Amino acid sequence: MDDRKNLLRRIPAVDRVLNEPALSRLSASCPRILLLESAQETVAELRREILEAPQSSPDLSPAAVAQRAARRAERKLSPSLQPVINATGTLLHTNLGRAPLSESALLAMQEVARGYSNLEFDLDSGERGHRYAHVEELLCRLAGAEAATVVNNNAGAVLLALTALAKGKEAIVSRGELVEIGGAFRVPDVMAAGGVTLREVGTTNKTHLKDYREAIGDATALFLKVHTSNYRIVGFTASVSAQDLVALARERSLLVMEDLGSGMLLDLSPYGIPREPTVREAVGAGIDIVTFSGDKLLGGPQAGVILGRREAVEKIRRHPMARAMRIDKLTLAALEATLRHYLDPQEALREIPVLRMLAASAEEIRRRCTRLKRRLSALAEHAAVEIVAEPSQVGGGALPTTELPGFALAVTPRKLSAQALADRLRHGRPPVVGRIQEERLLLNLRTVAREEENELLRALDTVLRNTDDQPVGTLNRFQHG
Ligand SMILES: *Cc1c(COP(=O)(O)O)cnc(C)c1O
């Protein structure tokens, strides 16, 4: 106990710590209040360490304590949301922000953000304009729809459309399509939230047109089709085509709504991607309201697109909840720029990062791996690097059973565990996220942009060469968050 009392007494005073060069050096770039807080917290932390961990013997020299406080201050200063290199190979990684944006989309956001814009101002007439006019014509042209609007995300689009079209009534859904899309988005719960009664029909694997027909009652407002975007039912299955469902709905004066999930605007089957129903096909089949995400395979910003027949879209647009879900000008700018690429499918494939990654051939990825492996040969004493075949997932609840053939760099560190390597890369700047497989770290290049290759190499170089303890410095790259 006396020992510890002694140690406690040796903790330097906050003022003393503040005057050490490690901290005073930061005073130009760091607000004083943050430096003070960091020094106080560090001192308190040391006190706790000494009291709670009797074996601990922290370095209590003012210089060392100031170093610790400086790292704390730098953590407070650095942005929480930051770019990450996605080497997982999963294209639409929801945890990593889904779709990266095209250059034009980035530029459009920047230009609109910098000053004022005609967001809701009609430059022709000089009168009030409409926020969604900037994308409606494009969406209608690309999808063959009569009208379109946009909200914050597809979950919001589904909730809003259901509420506006079927509140207090019934919607008929096949049991094979009662989807859960991660988090709290479950079709039955969304319907309940929208005040819509769910009428389930059919079975998990088979639903027939007669199931829908027999379920129609006085309270029925619509048929809801949900794209089974994150699973597939295979084997002995049957579902009702959009055409047949639309024909039945027309006969009984009902609406048909389809939640497409990802919402493909292009048929990518020439690139070995399985055929998905495109938005245009759903609209062409006569579906009244189609909804889909902006940041899945479309490759744009987070948004929920609602399009289809004019009357139904108008009803949705006029609903009071629409105002609570409206998108901001930055999203609108990015969405418009992304949609413009699709006017020329070749341009879309060239400019939209998600489509470019989807269409990249396995051979192309292997060539990039070979080049990087060669550049990593200088690190041979620190790690063995191999090229291994590794397929990619699309992710984000799209094309669930599709594996895109590709390659990854498999890094086996010699002085670290693969887990330690992964941890340190994750704590670098920029952080790199890969996947561990049997004591090696896989870095899949399908989701790493060419422009990120140098940063990836630099990150590996730094981490593999510094295998001792956490390096100390003013900018600690391996800081644990
Ligand atoms: C992804 C998805 C959603 C949710 O879309 P967000 O844009 O993430 O809100 C809803 N329905 C389906 C079928 C989906 O795949």
Side-chain angles (χ1 to χ4, degrees):
M1 192 65 213
D2 279 352
D3 267 6
R4 262 176 291 159
K5 262 195 191 139
N6 231 334
L7 277 176
L8 285 175
R9 258 199 301 275
R10 280 180 38 218
I11 298 177
V14 169
D15 275 344
R16 178 78 204 277
V17 176
L18 279 171
N19 285 329
E20 283 293 315
L23 270 192
S24 59
R25 186 172 53 211
L26 291 179
S27 61
S29 58
C30 182
R32 186 172 157 80
I33 179 77
L34 288 189
L35 290 179
L36 178 62
E37 237 177 63
S38 305
Q40 286 168 336
E41 285 166 8
T42 305
V43 164
E45 187 178 75
L46 285 167
R47 191 175 294 277
R48 264 199 316 278
E49 250 177 65
I50 292 166
L51 289 173
E52 288 164 17
Q55 312 307 338
S56 71
S57 56
D59 186 344
L60 296 176
S61 68
V65 177
Q67 273 299 357
R68 224 164 128 158
R71 285 205 292 271
R72 199 177 260 274
E74 269 159 3
R75 232 156 37 222
K76 287 178 197 279
L77 274 183
S78 57
S80 167
L81 184 61
Q82 54 182 311
V84 164
I85 294 182
N86 173 11
T88 65
T90 300
L91 272 74
L92 297 169
H93 205 301
T94 299
N95 302 152
L96 300 182
R98 290 201 188 152
L101 295 177
S102 74
E103 285 301 322
S104 311
L106 294 175
L107 210 66
M109 284 174 86
Q110 204 181 79
E111 296 203 322
V112 160
R114 197 182 300 281
Y116 297 100
S117 63
N118 61 337
L119 180 63
E120 291 185 355
F121 183 65
D122 184 338
L123 293 171
D124 286 334
S125 66
E127 291 176 5
R128 186 175 197 283
H130 296 282
R131 178 177 295 250
Y132 302 108
H134 304 289
V135 288
E136 183 171 21
E137 202 181 307
L138 269 170
L139 281 168
C140 289
R141 183 198 293 259
L142 293 168
E146 290 174 8
T149 190
V150 187
V151 294
N152 263 324
N153 54 31
N154 186 35
V158 174
L159 174 61
L160 175 63
L162 279 172
T163 308
L165 302 176
K167 189 180 167 95
K169 299 199 177 146
E170 229 173 61
I172 299 178
V173 189
S174 159
R175 290 199 171 91
E177 299 176 2
L178 292 172
V179 179
E180 171 177 315
I181 317 285
F185 188 89
R186 289 174 149 193
V187 169
D189 299 344
V190 174
M191 295 184 78
V196 178
T197 306
L198 166 65
R199 183 75 203 267
E200 301 174 26
V201 295
T203 60
T204 304
N205 59 327
K206 283 200 164 200
T207 302
H208 306 284
L209 191 60
K210 74 170 177 12
D211 296 323
Y212 285 95
R213 184 183 289 121
E214 284 163 10
I216 299 173
D218 291 341
T220 309
L222 57 79
F223 297 141
L224 172 65
K225 268 183 88 64
V226 184
H227 189 52
T228 56
S229 56
N230 54 5
Y231 66 99
R232 285 280 181 271
I233 294 174
V234 295
F236 191 55
T237 66
S239 60
V240 178
S241 73
Q243 281 83 356
D244 289 349
L245 207 54
V246 166
L248 175 60
R250 296 276 184 279
E251 194 184 294
R252 308 295 292 266
S253 302
L254 300 173
L255 294 173
V256 185
M257 170 176 157
E258 181 162 17
D259 172 11
L260 270 184
S262 199
M264 294 280 271
L265 289 176
L266 288 180
D267 174 16
L268 291 180
S269 53
Y271 300 90
I273 313 300
R275 256 196 75 71
E276 280 270 289
T278 63
V279 175
R280 179 172 275 280
E281 283 161 2
V283 172
I287 304 275
D288 298 279
I289 286 294
V290 177
T291 73
F292 54 93
S293 290
D295 57 352
K296 290 190 182 171
L297 288 173
L298 185 81
Q302 179 189 304
V305 177
I306 301 172
L307 51 75
R309 290 161 79 92
R310 180 170 309 283
E311 207 182 314
V313 172
E314 280 299 333
K315 207 165 168 184
I316 292 167
R317 200 159 25 203
R318 280 197 309 268
H319 192 276
M321 225 162 69
R323 174 62 174 78
M325 294 185 183
R326 80 175 183 190
I327 60 172
D328 74 305
K329 59 187 178 182
L330 303 186
T331 304
L332 204 49
L335 184 61
E336 182 186 353
T338 306
L339 291 171
R340 277 193 193 286
H341 292 310
Y342 281 96
L343 294 174
D344 173 2
Q346 286 311 314
E347 179 184 321
L349 281 164
R350 203 174 53 237
E351 299 294 330
I352 299 176
V354 169
L355 297 188
R356 209 161 51 212
M357 290 185 236
L358 261 179
S361 69
E363 184 46 35
E364 186 184 332
I365 295 167
R366 199 180 58 78
R367 273 199 305 271
R368 288 177 60 202
C369 283
T370 309
R371 230 180 18 246
L372 291 198
K373 182 182 173 205
R374 202 175 310 129
R375 293 177 64 190
L376 283 168
S377 58
L379 291 172
E381 65 173 289
H382 300 286
V385 180
E386 290 165 279
I387 297 171
V388 296
E390 215 226 353
S392 267
Q393 265 81 46
V394 176
L399 300 167
T401 51
T402 300
E403 293 211 320
L404 305 166
F407 292 89
L409 291 171
V411 183
T412 313
R414 302 194 198 279
K415 299 166 192 168
L416 282 174
S417 66
Q419 185 63 54
L421 174 63
D423 289 347
R424 289 173 182 214
L425 284 173
R426 217 174 51 248
H427 288 109
R429 206 161 290 169
V432 175
V433 182
R435 198 167 72 78
I436 288 179
Q437 187 194 60
E438 296 161 7
E439 265 318 296
R440 54 192 192 176
L441 180 68
L442 299 188
L443 301 169
N444 190 316
L445 291 193
R446 186 182 286 274
T447 48
V448 177
R450 273 171 203 280
E451 302 75 53
E452 291 171 331
E453 285 180 359
N454 284 339
E455 282 181 309
L456 176 65
L457 291 179
R458 209 176 305 130
L460 277 169
D461 188 83
T462 313
V463 169
L464 286 168
R465 285 183 197 278
N466 286 285
T467 48
D468 320 330
D469 211 31
Q470 300 245 324
V472 197
T474 46
L475 248 185
N476 187 337
R477 287 162 167 274
F478 318 115
Q479 197 62 60
H480 283 260

